[in-house]
Amino acid sequence: MHQQLAHVALVVRDYDEAIDFYTKKLGFTLVEDTYQPEQDKRWVLVAPPGPPGTSLLLARASTPEQARFIGDQAGGRVFLFLSTDDFWRDYDRMLAAGIRFVRDPAVQPYGTVAVFEDLYGNRWDLVQFAAASVAATAQPVELRVPRAILDQRDPAKLAWAAIEPVWDAVDLSAEPGAVDDQLSRLSRGQKALLAIHWCVAEVSNGGFEQFFANPAGVLTREAREGFALVGDQALASVVDQVAALFPDEWPARERSVRNFQLRRLRGPDAERVAAFEPYDRAFGDCLGLEGLPGRCAAYVIENPTDFVRD
């Protein structure tokens, strides 16, 4: 047996104003608009772009009782769910088209979602569902390194050698929960030096805005703790101060929410977050003192069991 939901009826005040909204603002396709003289009504179907599926039947109210339900078919609850393969693309496009969002974007266990209203007030979810998690089948990777690395005389090379296997063992683009699972395999020192390396690489290349906007931003807390762990309180303080610019004084771990926070910090018509600039300079000044590689190397030497295998 094969069944599927063909159409969902949406009560509207006027066919043409509803068609105008759904095709011009939401970007739906007008699938059919056929006049039915025997009932003096139109059979109007619209559908979102993408593979064929359920379409929306725009049904004009023909009685006062039906008219009472225009804009309130679900009693104030979210009525319909618009799934997308790119949440932020569609969110930005809909905002530019004048769509009213009544609930800000948020990352939930099932995906990224925001609530908007149609021209009558019916509530919709715009949602990008999270990919189903797949159990890891790969063989465990050896994350500790040979003891011979402790003979390395260059502090920067020693610090890097200590965590080189870890670099590819953590997928920062995964959901925060999956990142946490991967980080749980690391020692305290490995986690600290990994976060330090990512933070320094991103901020040195494009400032804190690049660090927060990219997947590495999920390691903000770990980077701050890492700087403190190796004894670089100046860099830890800079991270504390720039993080305090975010709501709740810390950037969200979910990348999509973090980028939404950045948009608000950036403000209209601005290309970058101006408030980050003094912290970018302060971070660079601290790195210019060239003490960080030595501190990281010293931590490795003093805590070899975090990095080397027997």
Side-chain angles (χ1 to χ4, degrees):
M1 178 185 292
H2 177 75
Q3 297 179 335
Q4 69 179 55
L5 195 63
H7 315 301
V8 174
L10 183 72
V11 183
V12 303
R13 182 173 53 233
D14 177 82
Y15 291 120
D16 292 323
E17 71 176 4
I19 291 172
D20 189 71
F21 175 85
Y22 280 101
T23 60
K24 293 182 179 178
K25 289 200 170 185
L26 279 191
F28 282 23
T29 299
L30 179 60
V31 177
E32 184 176 352
D33 184 358
T34 303
Y35 179 61
Q36 298 178 326
E38 66 279 5
Q39 298 180 359
D40 190 27
K41 68 179 184 181
R42 290 157 63 182
W43 181 260
V44 179
L45 295 176
V46 295
T54 304
S55 56
L56 205 58
L57 172 64
L58 304 182
R60 187 184 64 185
S62 58
T63 68
E65 183 177 2
Q66 292 177 9
R68 288 194 301 109
F69 292 96
I70 296 174
D72 193 26
Q73 285 188 227
R77 294 177 63 90
V78 170
F79 176 43
L80 297 166
F81 299 79
L82 181 60
S83 174
T84 175
D85 61 354
D86 189 330
F87 177 88
W88 290 106
R89 175 199 65 206
D90 291 342
Y91 177 77
D92 288 341
R93 179 185 58 78
M94 291 165 69
L95 279 179
I99 301 295
R100 179 172 178 260
F101 280 84
V102 296
R103 198 171 302 159
D104 286 340
V107 174
Q108 303 293 346
Y110 56 82
T112 305
V113 62
V115 180
F116 69 94
E117 291 183 341
D118 69 10
L119 74 166
Y120 299 118
N122 293 299
R123 293 194 167 194
W124 292 61
D125 269 3
L126 174 67
V127 57
Q128 181 177 4
F129 290 105
S133 57
V134 179
T137 57
Q139 294 298 315
V141 177
E142 175 58 68
L143 298 179
R144 283 175 167 76
V145 295
R147 185 170 291 273
I149 67 137
L150 299 178
D151 297 330
Q152 173 60 248
R153 299 300 181 186
D154 184 307
K157 291 181 179 179
L158 171 58
W160 167 247
I163 62 161
E164 187 172 5
V166 175
W167 191 262
D168 293 323
V170 179
D171 179 11
L172 299 181
S173 64
E175 293 294 320
V179 174
D180 288 341
D181 289 342
Q182 296 170 65
L183 291 176
S184 69
R185 300 170 54 206
L186 309 185
S187 68
R188 186 187 186 195
Q190 287 174 322
K191 188 188 306 184
L193 264 63
L194 175 70
I196 286 173
H197 272 74
W198 269 114
C199 183
V200 169
E202 294 280 20
V203 179
S204 297
N205 186 51
F208 275 106
E209 184 153 2
Q210 176 174 308
F211 175 54
F212 294 133
N214 284 346
V218 73
L219 296 177
T220 302
R221 286 187 183 274
E222 288 80 3
R224 187 257 176 244
E225 293 167 3
F227 290 129
L229 186 65
V230 302
D232 202 318
Q233 299 300 332
L235 284 171
S237 177
V238 173
V239 176
D240 274 337
Q241 292 174 66
V242 73
L245 298 174
F246 286 82
D248 301 322
E249 299 188 347
W250 211 261
R253 299 196 74 233
E254 298 84 358
R255 187 185 181 192
S256 59
V257 177
R258 205 164 55 244
N259 275 284
F260 180 70
Q261 293 173 333
L262 287 172
R263 293 165 194 256
R264 288 193 162 180
L265 287 171
R266 195 176 296 129
D269 304 321
E271 295 183 358
R272 296 186 62 81
V273 180
F276 288 167
E277 293 178 2
Y279 302 106
D280 292 341
R281 291 193 294 271
F283 194 88
D285 291 343
C286 291
L287 289 180
L289 299 176
E290 299 185 351
L292 182 61
R295 290 189 175 94
C296 291
Y299 186 87
V300 173
I301 293 170
E302 293 166 7
N303 300 272
T305 56
D306 271 9
F307 304 95
V308 304
R309 56 180 181 263
D310 294 332

